[in-house]
Amino acid sequence: MKPTKQQLKKQRDDRLRYLIFFGLAIVLFLHAFCQYGILNQAIAYLIPSASAEVPVVDSGSGFVPDWSRLKFSDMIMGEGGSVTYPTDRGEETRTWSAGQSIADFMELGDFEDAEFSIEKLNLSKISEFLGIDLNSLRLSDFGVVETQTIPTLVKAIPALRSKSPASIKAIYDTYIRVGVSPGGTIGSSLNNPKLNEVELGSAIDLSKYQLTSIPGIEEASIDKFDRWQDTVIGLVPGLRDLPWSEFPSLPNPDLSFIGKVDLVLRDIEANRIRSISGSYQEGFNVPCYQNNCAHVEMSGLGTTTGAQWISGKVQQVRGGFGILQAVNDGKEPTGRHPFGTTFKQVVWDIDEAKGEMQTAMFFRFCKTIPFVGRTCTPYFIGPVPFISYREQDPIIFGNPSTVP
């Protein structure tokens, strides 16, 4: 039966009312998104936030880094900076920026005291693990070569003594450049003072020569080369991407003092005196006598319950030793060293509402200066995102185990 005009009019009116109703509902919904942040909450729910923390494994006593998935290239600076300090070769300046890997500006010598023994690695081992074709690289790709003289190069690769200069293009060109006859063997001319005066990087363009054109260079460990400590990590082929598990040795976490994250508390807390954080120079029970003492309260055996790890964002302590101690005004964020001297673990971002905290790594620069000795800056190079914890997570504090 065909609808009447009156029925058609009623249907049109009903549709119009529905459209008005849904239109109003949409407007109110969008207004709520903008007014109360529902849109941001919805997006955050649908798209989880990126995690910047390092991969970890639960040792049973606490979280430790998964060394097989930890690399220099993944250690990204959260803040930029620049510092100038004295060395035995004059002043040195290092500059870094937020978002940059520490492999781009940290040097091998900064880790000489670490438990890694990375200086014992050679290019053969690194390339074998990562599948690098060393024949495709140039001498300029291996940073230690630039500062070598012919005698120091031979000291690193003794088999070169019996070679003739003419058989190795880079060495032959260096002889010609410094005015030494390329006759005989390399070993027979090492006493010529001219060869001691000029570094390879100054004598020739290293980018013109194949890395493996110097026989045996891939087998020589890094520490065989003179001034290897001054080489930036990223200038050792593959080292920036080599998992730490492939280093000759690893820092063993110190399990002498462990506990649990009990409460994370923000800056409303003041004058905390049961601190278990600090520095090598001030000890690790440095109290926080200020209005802002954001910290994490710990729980565990005996007096561990109620102990406070102060946030390095709000408290600085003395650090460093030797002439480089003066860098950064001699200060570093408070923290602990459960994983040795390589880096300092610092409580950084605290989310009291979620009961979470993000810790960060802080590094230092080090030099060995003739007639002065070993010297290091405070641990102020950071923050590099490290391990995140939630309340009731186990945590390793390391030595010492004293609690005020």
Side-chain angles (χ1 to χ4, degrees), residues 77 96 105-106 361-365 378-384:
M77 294 294 297
W96 59 96
F105 64 91
M106 295 288 288
M361 296 166 141
F362 278 79
F363 297 87
R364 64 183 180 179
F365 299 150
Y379 288 92
F380 76 106
I381 312 299
V384 173

Side-chain angles (χ1 to χ4, degrees), residues 34-141:
C34 297
Q35 182 70 24
Y36 302 106
I38 298 175
L39 177 62
N40 292 336
Q41 296 176 34
I43 291 175
Y45 178 78
L46 295 172
I47 306 175
S49 59
S51 175
E53 66 196 65
V54 303
V56 297
V57 294
D58 189 348
S59 68
S61 299
F63 298 141
V64 298
D66 183 349
W67 305 115
S68 67
R69 298 167 59 198
L70 196 64
K71 301 176 289 185
F72 284 122
S73 59
D74 290 335
M75 296 177 187
I76 305 301
M77 294 294 297
E79 299 174 3
S82 180
V83 64
T84 298
Y85 52 88
T87 72
D88 59 318
R89 297 174 182 270
E91 285 195 336
E92 178 176 323
T93 298
R94 294 208 219 177
T95 302
W96 59 96
S97 57
Q100 187 177 26
S101 164
I102 68 169
D104 296 329
F105 64 91
M106 295 288 288
E107 297 177 353
L108 294 170
D110 298 330
F111 298 93
E112 189 173 1
D113 296 333
E115 295 87 345
F116 296 149
S117 299
I118 54 178
E119 68 274 11
K120 299 300 181 182
L121 290 167
N122 60 37
L123 295 184
S124 179
K125 175 176 174 57
I126 297 173
S127 63
E128 180 181 359
F129 183 85
L130 295 175
I132 298 172
D133 180 12
L134 294 178
N135 293 319
S136 67
L137 301 180
R138 317 305 289 176
L139 283 177
S140 56
D141 293 321

Side-chain angles (χ1 to χ4, degrees), residues 38-327:
I38 298 175
L39 177 62
N40 292 336
Q41 296 176 34
I43 291 175
Y45 178 78
L46 295 172
I47 306 175
S49 59
S51 175
E53 66 196 65
V54 303
V56 297
V57 294
D58 189 348
S59 68
S61 299
F63 298 141
V64 298
D66 183 349
W67 305 115
S68 67
R69 298 167 59 198
L70 196 64
K71 301 176 289 185
F72 284 122
S73 59
D74 290 335
M75 296 177 187
I76 305 301
M77 294 294 297
E79 299 174 3
S82 180
V83 64
T84 298
Y85 52 88
T87 72
D88 59 318
R89 297 174 182 270
E91 285 195 336
E92 178 176 323
T93 298
R94 294 208 219 177
T95 302
W96 59 96
S97 57
Q100 187 177 26
S101 164
I102 68 169
D104 296 329
F105 64 91
M106 295 288 288
E107 297 177 353
L108 294 170
D110 298 330
F111 298 93
E112 189 173 1
D113 296 333
E115 295 87 345
F116 296 149
S117 299
I118 54 178
E119 68 274 11
K120 299 300 181 182
L121 290 167
N122 60 37
L123 295 184
S124 179
K125 175 176 174 57
I126 297 173
S127 63
E128 180 181 359
F129 183 85
L130 295 175
I132 298 172
D133 180 12
L134 294 178
N135 293 319
S136 67
L137 301 180
R138 317 305 289 176
L139 283 177
S140 56
D141 293 321
F142 190 19
V144 299
V145 177
E146 183 174 0
T147 56
Q148 304 308 306
T149 62
I150 295 298
T152 62
L153 185 66
V154 172
K155 185 177 179 180
I157 313 171
L160 293 177
R161 283 182 170 273
S162 61
K163 306 288 184 180
S164 68
S167 67
I168 304 171
K169 179 64 173 169
I171 293 179
Y172 174 82
D173 288 350
T174 301
Y175 272 63
I176 300 302
R177 173 69 176 79
V178 301
V180 175
S181 171
T185 64
I186 295 173
S188 65
S189 58
L190 290 179
N191 291 329
N192 192 310
K194 292 182 179 179
L195 294 178
N196 273 310
E197 295 171 356
V198 181
E199 296 173 349
L200 294 181
S202 300
I204 58 176
D205 182 355
L206 296 174
S207 66
K208 294 183 177 179
Y209 306 90
Q210 190 177 31
L211 174 64
T212 52
S213 66
I214 296 181
I217 194 170
E218 70 276 14
E219 300 296 337
S221 61
I222 294 170
D223 64 347
K224 297 298 184 183
F225 295 92
D226 188 48
R227 294 177 56 193
W228 61 269
Q229 297 94 333
D230 300 331
T231 301
V232 173
I233 290 169
L235 291 180
V236 177
L239 184 56
R240 65 185 300 128
D241 295 316
L242 189 69
W244 284 18
S245 59
E246 297 305 306
F247 292 170
S249 59
L250 284 173
N252 291 316
D254 187 339
L255 303 180
S256 61
F257 186 24
I258 59 177
K260 284 188 176 183
V261 176
D262 192 12
L263 296 170
V264 295
L265 300 166
R266 295 192 57 138
D267 52 352
I268 56 173
E269 301 292 322
N271 299 322
R272 301 293 92 182
I273 61 173
R274 298 197 64 228
S275 164
I276 56 168
S277 53
S279 67
Y280 285 129
Q281 283 65 35
E282 284 199 57
F284 294 92
N285 300 126
V286 181
C288 178
Y289 294 122
Q290 59 193 43
N291 291 330
N292 182 346
C293 291
H295 68 278
V296 180
E297 281 194 7
M298 303 300 177
S299 63
L301 295 175
T303 58
T304 301
T305 296
Q308 302 139 4
W309 187 331
I310 310 297
S311 168
K313 262 191 175 180
V314 303
Q315 186 184 35
Q316 296 279 305
V317 291
R318 293 196 311 273
F321 62 90
I323 64 172
L324 294 185
Q325 184 176 19
V327 173

